[in-house]
Amino acid sequence: MSAELTVAAVQYESSQGGIAANMEGHVRALEDADGHGARIAVFPELSLIGYDLSQLDNESCWLANPSAQLAEIQAACEDMGIIAVVGAPVREPDGTPRLASVLLRPGAVPLIAPKTHVHGSEQDYFEPGDGPTLVEVDGWNVALAVCFDVALPSHAALAAEAGADLYAASAVYVVGEERRLDLHFGARAMDSRFFALLANAAGTSSLGPSCGESGVWGPDGHRMVHARTSGPEVVSALLFRSALERFRH
């Protein structure tokens, strides 16, 4: 079990053109995160196509075979020894549509982590998941969340009950939501005594211009690091297990 873990929040601006158009950008961002020494890099909600639900009528914007469609990102993870959490609309083998995070790890098949609390127009396209997905990274338990999941304290509470050390969320927060963003992540981290990470979208989506602010919050609820702009940026942080133990006791 590692006493420390370096993580990266990738504030990524999705390109027009769907999944294929965003392959190279994701690989470049992973190279940046690897340069920071990160073991896991988290991208925003729907990072592979951008948050514009009108695209979902185009079947090419869906992941139906993640191993094949994300082979380029998987190869980068293998080469660098890094874990990537990317955002995409996914059709599961039985056809169930998910708004999901997709975990890509060296030596493993892609893992689908569905958004639990789909809301608004998302409900026209997606079926909700049944709770936070936890994965192990160097002995750290990482719970994955997608955007509105963070707004509901019960989601983070379930992650904490399952033993999460890090609550990692992919999201889209826009201008005017800066205070809401900080309250969400600070409260989830402090209430559950774990680290919390936000990978917010960069640029402008169908929801409006991003407010940036990707970063990491400590188990005391204070923000440790954050993005300096609302544009593309990789924000990294070194997490210490000793900090978790101090606040948990």
Side-chain angles (χ1 to χ4, degrees):
M1 181 181 295
S2 175
E4 57 191 49
L5 179 70
T6 301
V7 299
V10 181
Q11 193 164 280
Y12 179 79
E13 183 172 3
S14 302
S15 300
Q16 296 292 317
I19 294 170
N22 283 283
M23 286 291 102
E24 184 180 350
H26 276 67
V27 171
R28 287 200 307 269
L30 281 174
E31 291 170 345
D32 192 347
D34 182 58
H36 289 242
R39 286 285 292 120
I40 181 170
V42 183
F43 287 76
E45 182 177 25
L46 294 178
S47 64
L48 284 167
I49 65 168
Y51 195 98
D52 179 358
L53 301 186
S54 68
Q55 300 179 86
L56 299 178
D57 294 325
N58 182 347
E59 201 59 33
S60 67
C61 287
W62 289 80
L63 278 182
N65 185 350
S67 293
Q69 290 171 275
L70 303 181
E72 188 174 343
I73 299 176
Q74 179 71 42
C77 291
E78 303 281 354
D79 290 344
M80 290 181 261
I82 195 171
I83 297 167
V85 179
V86 303
V90 178
R91 291 205 188 280
E92 299 215 52
D94 64 0
T96 304
R98 304 289 195 188
L99 199 172
S101 292
V102 183
L103 188 85
L104 301 170
R105 298 165 289 178
V109 298
L111 173 68
I112 307 304
K115 185 174 185 175
T116 304
H117 300 289
V118 296
H119 68 107
S121 299
E122 295 170 1
Q123 297 173 86
D124 297 333
Y125 294 95
F126 303 107
E127 294 294 328
D130 57 5
T133 300
L134 267 74
V135 296
E136 183 270 327
V137 181
D138 295 350
W140 290 65
N141 292 321
V142 180
L144 302 179
V146 182
C147 207
F148 198 67
D149 289 342
V150 185
L152 300 176
S154 59
H155 192 268
L158 287 171
E161 289 174 12
D165 301 309
L166 170 65
Y167 187 61
S170 305
V172 181
Y173 285 86
V174 298
V175 170
E177 295 185 320
E178 293 86 348
R179 177 61 173 158
R180 179 171 176 262
L181 175 163
D182 189 35
L183 284 172
H184 280 169
F185 285 85
R188 303 300 166 261
M190 184 173 66
D191 288 348
S192 297
R193 296 304 190 190
F194 50 34
F195 291 97
L197 177 150
L198 162 66
N200 193 18
T204 299
S205 71
S206 64
L207 298 178
S210 167
C211 64
E213 304 287 335
S214 296
V216 177
W217 286 253
D220 59 354
H222 285 90
R223 193 184 328 221
M224 297 166 55
V225 293
H226 64 89
R228 296 162 295 178
T229 71
S230 61
E233 187 173 344
V234 173
V235 182
S236 63
L238 178 60
L239 313 184
F240 291 96
R241 187 168 294 281
S242 58
L244 289 176
E245 294 170 349
R246 182 168 72 253
F247 285 104
R248 286 173 175 174
H249 290 91

